[in-house]
Amino acid sequence: MMGMKVMLVLYLMILPLTLAQLKVGFYSDSCPQAESIVQAAVLKRFSSDKSITAALLRMHFHDCFVRGCDASILIDSTSQNQSEKVAGPNLTVRGYELIDEAKKTLESVCASKVSCADIITLATRDAVVLSGGPSYAVPTGRRDGRVSNPSEVNLPGPSLPVSQAFQTFMNKNMTMDDMVTLLGAHTVGVAHCNFFSDRISGRGDRRMDPALLAKLKGICGAASGSNPNPTAFLDQGTSFTVDNEFFRQIRLKRGVMKIDQELANDRLSRGFVSRFASNSTLFRTRFAQAMVKMGNIEVLVGNAGEIRKNCRVINAK
Ligand code: HEM
Ligand SMILES: *[C@@H]1O[C@H](CO)[C@@H](O)[C@H](O)[C@H]1NC(C)=O
Ligand SMILES: *[C@@H]1O[C@H](CO)[C@@H](O)[C@H](O)[C@H]1NC(C)=O
Ligand SMILES: *[C@@H]1O[C@H](CO)[C@@H](O)[C@H](O)[C@H]1NC(C)=O
Ligand SMILES: CC(=O)N[C@H]1CO[C@H](CO)[C@@H](O)[C@@H]1O
């Protein structure tokens, strides 16, 4: 009896070492202000730029789907070699300065404690709340990676059929429900014309609402030397609000990119789309869960990786 108790105690002591994992409030001892510092930086930016929510959601997705959520997306290229940022899909990822700003304050208050990967995750959560989305607790304790390689950037393109886009999500152990939920992030933000020009040339995609087709032709047709690749909102209803309106819009044939429209048409995904369109509570609940799940993809924990001092630069050995 006694022996078993001792073993149990030993087991419970060793458990955190062997199964190091993320937990809510990871910084409550090492840097109690961590979450409020990130939140303040996001609030400051949001008050002058509501599009920061879209920027952070996309940054978080791109980070987590390449080498896991390890802030590899933040690394700048060096004179010796190139980082993920030079890969095609990165092109228009924005918001790097906000992460830098939060990091600068964090380093001055508790140096080398809070990872850049956690900053991205927390900042995204805070921005989602400010844009009317659900609030959720974010497990933290991620460590930053020491590798950033453009050849590893293998993100799905916007013209893939649902089944093929799903392959990339399945590779990350995400379900179709997760994928449809997360694509609900297209409830905010914009796409550049080059990502949907195939749908609006000539008579246009017959699966597109004619009024939207005319509108997009107008936007993209106005391309000019100073603005060669204009943008259109992804959600024609509430373009700056994290809500289920995106799902209603695609059911009305108002998806801008092919992947968005196909979600509403494809039998693999349309059931999820119709449930999210009609039940805002369901979308909010599932979106929070799916964001936490995405934030857990292939994370570095314990002693793996490092806590970067500058989010753009791998620490010197
Ligand atoms: C099959 C999966 C996905 C594809 C093919 C895809 C593709 C794209 C493309 C091509 C753009 C336009 C980028 C531009 O023109 O600058 C975009 C924008 C965006 N994506 Fe996705 N995406 C996917 C999944 C996701 C996920 C999982 C999230 C987040 C949870 C996300 C969040 C966003 C946001 C917020 C924007 C707007 C960015 C901005 O306004 O700066 N996307 N996506
Ligand atoms: C540079 O190359 C090394 C070795 O291949 C790699 O670990 C590192 O992540 C690369 N990228 C940058 C930006 O240093
Ligand atoms: C997916 O799950 C399998 C089995 O649990 C695991 O071996 C694999 O590492 C997971 N992949 C990712 C990307 O989390
Ligand atoms: C909407 O979703 C919530 C949360 O999953 C669920 O409890 C509720 O029953 C759903 N409402 C309807 C009308 O289906
Ligand atoms: C922010 C950033 O570094 N973007 C880069 C993305 O990739 C292109 C090349 O494909 C670079 O020119 C950008 O600077």
Side-chain angles (χ1 to χ4, degrees), residues 54-55 57-58 61 92 94 156-158 165 169 182-183 185-186 188-192 195 234 257 259 291 294:
L57 277 163
R58 185 149 183 260
F61 165 55
T92 49
R94 309 176 288 120
F169 281 74
L182 288 171
L183 269 158
H186 289 171
V188 289
V190 297
H192 290 78
F195 287 116
L234 290 168
M257 297 191 292
I259 182 70
M291 286 296 288
M294 183 172 89

Side-chain angles (χ1 to χ4, degrees), residues 75-78 81-83 146-148 314:
I75 300 291
D76 281 341
S77 298
T78 64
N81 64 4
Q82 297 189 313
S83 71
R146 291 184 52 83
V147 178
S148 181
I314 295 165

Side-chain angles (χ1 to χ4, degrees), residues 170-173 296-298:
M170 257 191 339
N171 291 341
K172 308 290 179 193
N173 290 338
N296 286 352
I297 293 173
E298 297 163 69

Side-chain angles (χ1 to χ4, degrees), residues 27 31 34 103 106-107 110 112-116 118-119 307:
Y27 297 111
C31 186
K103 180 63 174 175
L106 286 165
E107 286 301 291
C110 27
S112 293
K113 292 285 186 240
V114 181
S115 69
C116 300
D118 278 342
I119 298 174
I307 303 295

Side-chain angles (χ1 to χ4, degrees), residues 70-89:
D70 67 345
S72 54
I73 191 171
L74 303 180
I75 300 291
D76 281 341
S77 298
T78 64
S79 53
Q80 282 85 40
N81 64 4
Q82 297 189 313
S83 71
E84 283 174 25
K85 282 184 185 175
V86 308

